[in-house]
Amino acid sequence: MPKKGTKSKKQADDVPDQQENKLPDYLELQRTRVVCNADAPIHTQGFQYSGAFAAMGVDNSVSVEKFCKNFKIDVKRLTEDDMEFDMIGVDASIANAFRRILISEVPTMAIEKIFMADNTSVIADEVLSHRLGLIPLDANPRLFDYISENDVPNERNTIVFKLHVSCQKGSQRITVKSGELEWLPEGSQLSMASPAQSGDKQKTFTSFSQSQKEILQKPLGVKFDNITIARLGPGQSIELEAHAVKGVGKVHAKWSPVATAWYRMLPEVVILEQMEGDEAEELVKKCPVNVFDIEDLGNGGKRAVVAKPRACTLCRQCVMGPSGEKIQLRRVRDHFIFTIESTGALPPEVLFTEAVKILEEKCEKVISELS
């Protein structure tokens, strides 16, 4: 006899395994898919709470074991400027956390202070400073430190650029572009004030103890040389010094490392009833992104098939009209198509890696505070 309060081996084996049990198809559809109807943009009703299917022996809760088993990253496109990948097996809150971190918490270098020596162009000093701040810099932010109000600018927390251009009298108008910003690895060359005595050293806005060429592997500069800063007419000139520091996008958009970061659920287009002949051709013409195609059945027969479901934009043209009941548009709840477009400061794959590290640090901080 087993002890009181314990189960015999036979009784334990009779308990249904929650991981192996399956739901009926109609419930599994509501649990894992988001259905789009013709009369509403999206139908989001479903069963998301953990105990929704406990009576059927199915565990709907979130666990580390399930996450490790189901989570997957599948890179679909990777270029120097952008990246598209599938994030599989996560909740929308996780995907949105990465999006927000990429936009506002991954640090970059951007021009923060402008020391204007001369500006006779038609652009006001404030507007010119704003335009300079939005120019992407080709500088790895991981090699630099943050600077606070009490810190002194040095070679580890500040990058100095110089811009000195002029348009000669009697000549044609010239365009000042970002490529004319000159990196000053030795620090500022703009004097704060004249020396008190002739033998004194001239004081500048920064004082580097060593050249940045000695601590960096490659020269610094702007990512794109052809960004228009201003246009100068005859006799006009601009002379300034720009100091770039490390920051994050939640302080100012100029520090945001991405042009955009966004995601969407994986589309799933299902033909519920076979559509042939003229009805199939009409369906193909309805879709503006060519999700459907015609399959030749032989003997002149044709039927509609789903050729590119990933291209679906959920315009719902295919589910409108008399034949709309034969088509069903769905979204997979835990499968996201994620796109990152970098401004150029860091490659998109590096940006995502940095976002993962930041989210990890946030989780560790929460765990340490709770414990």
Side-chain angles (χ1 to χ4, degrees):
M1 288 289 292
K3 293 181 180 180
K4 187 177 181 181
T6 64
K7 294 181 180 180
S8 66
K9 186 177 185 301
K10 184 177 184 304
Q11 288 176 324
D13 292 341
D14 290 340
V15 176
D17 188 348
Q18 292 185 334
Q19 299 297 332
E20 295 181 357
N21 289 355
K22 294 184 178 180
L23 292 172
D25 292 342
Y26 74 96
L27 286 178
E28 184 66 17
L29 178 66
Q30 294 186 41
R31 189 182 73 87
T32 62
R33 300 293 188 268
V34 178
V35 180
C36 174
N37 299 322
D39 57 346
I42 205 161
H43 179 69
T44 58
Q45 291 183 5
F47 303 97
Q48 296 299 304
Y49 56 95
S50 59
F53 310 106
M56 300 181 183
V58 176
D59 185 9
N60 199 41
S61 63
V62 178
S63 65
V64 177
E65 291 76 16
K66 283 185 179 180
F67 177 81
C68 294
K69 181 181 178 181
N70 299 326
F71 181 69
K72 182 182 177 183
I73 294 288
D74 186 10
V75 178
K76 297 296 185 181
R77 185 183 74 251
L78 177 60
T79 66
E80 184 181 357
D81 299 322
D82 67 338
M83 174 184 183
E84 181 181 290
F85 60 92
D86 286 5
M87 188 183 295
I88 306 167
V90 297
D91 187 73
S93 59
I94 302 296
N96 195 50
F98 283 124
R99 182 190 68 85
R100 291 176 65 90
I101 290 172
L102 282 165
I103 293 173
S104 62
E105 296 189 48
V106 175
T108 58
M109 303 296 291
I111 293 173
E112 169 69 358
K113 292 183 179 180
I114 302 292
F115 299 93
M116 196 75 66
D118 182 30
N119 178 21
T120 56
S121 70
V122 297
I123 301 179
D125 292 355
E126 293 82 1
V127 178
L128 182 59
S129 300
H130 185 264
R131 292 179 68 85
L132 290 167
L134 293 175
I135 295 175
L137 303 180
D138 188 12
N140 190 341
R142 295 171 292 182
L143 303 177
F144 294 88
D145 301 327
Y146 287 101
I147 183 172
S148 65
E149 295 181 358
N150 300 324
D151 290 337
V152 177
N154 57 54
E155 66 277 5
R156 294 288 181 178
N157 58 28
T158 304
I159 305 173
V160 181
F161 294 96
K162 174 185 177 182
L163 179 65
H164 190 185
V165 289
S166 59
C167 182
Q168 300 297 326
K169 292 183 178 180
S171 63
Q172 298 292 325
R173 294 174 64 88
I174 64 171
T175 301
V176 182
K177 300 206 171 175
S178 55
E180 298 183 63
L181 281 166
E182 178 187 354
W183 173 45
L184 302 179
E186 309 295 335
S188 175
Q189 296 178 353
L190 198 62
S191 60
M192 296 179 64
S194 301
Q197 298 180 6
S198 58
D200 293 345
K201 186 179 179 180
Q202 197 172 37
K203 189 175 182 181
T204 60
F205 286 97
T206 62
S207 56
F208 289 178
S209 59
Q210 65 179 130
S211 172
Q212 288 182 329
K213 288 183 178 179
E214 299 175 5
I215 60 176
L216 300 174
Q217 296 180 352
K218 68 173 186 177
L220 303 179
V222 296
K223 186 65 178 179
F224 307 103
D225 294 336
N226 58 350
I227 299 175
T228 300
I229 297 175
R231 297 204 66 186
L232 300 181
Q236 296 178 348
S237 65
I238 296 175
E239 183 180 1
L240 58 84
E241 202 170 78
H243 291 198
V245 298
K246 187 175 180 178
V248 292
K250 62 184 178 183
V251 176
H252 194 283
K254 66 185 177 185
W255 279 299
S256 182
V258 295
T260 183
W262 60 282
Y263 62 88
R264 62 190 178 101
M265 291 181 183
L266 178 72
E268 192 176 71
V269 183
V270 180
I271 299 178
L272 302 176
E273 296 182 27
Q274 189 167 295
M275 303 177 71
E276 300 180 353
D278 294 340
E279 190 179 29
E281 292 183 355
E282 183 182 351
L283 176 64
V284 172
K285 292 178 181 179
K286 273 186 177 181
C287 183
V289 292
N290 301 320
V291 169
F292 303 97
D293 200 358
I294 295 294
E295 182 182 26
D296 191 359
L297 300 176
N299 299 324
K302 298 178 181 179
R303 71 176 176 185
V305 294
V306 180
K308 297 187 295 182
R310 191 182 179 90
C312 179
T313 59
L314 212 69
C315 67
R316 296 179 293 147
Q317 290 295 324
C318 58
V319 294
M320 294 181 180
S323 61
E325 296 179 356
K326 299 180 181 180
I327 305 294
Q328 189 174 64
L329 300 181
R330 306 171 184 168
R331 300 281 188 176
V332 183
R333 287 184 184 272
D334 64 347
H335 190 144
F336 298 93
I337 301 173
F338 209 106
T339 305
I340 300 173
E341 293 183 8
S342 173
T343 59
L346 290 173
E349 69 273 18
V350 176
L351 289 178
F352 184 71
T353 304
E354 292 297 308
V356 172
K357 293 178 181 178
I358 292 173
L359 184 59
E360 182 183 6
E361 291 173 1
K362 287 175 175 286
C363 294
E364 290 176 352
K365 183 179 179 181
V366 171
I367 292 171
S368 62
E369 289 180 353
L370 291 175
S371 58

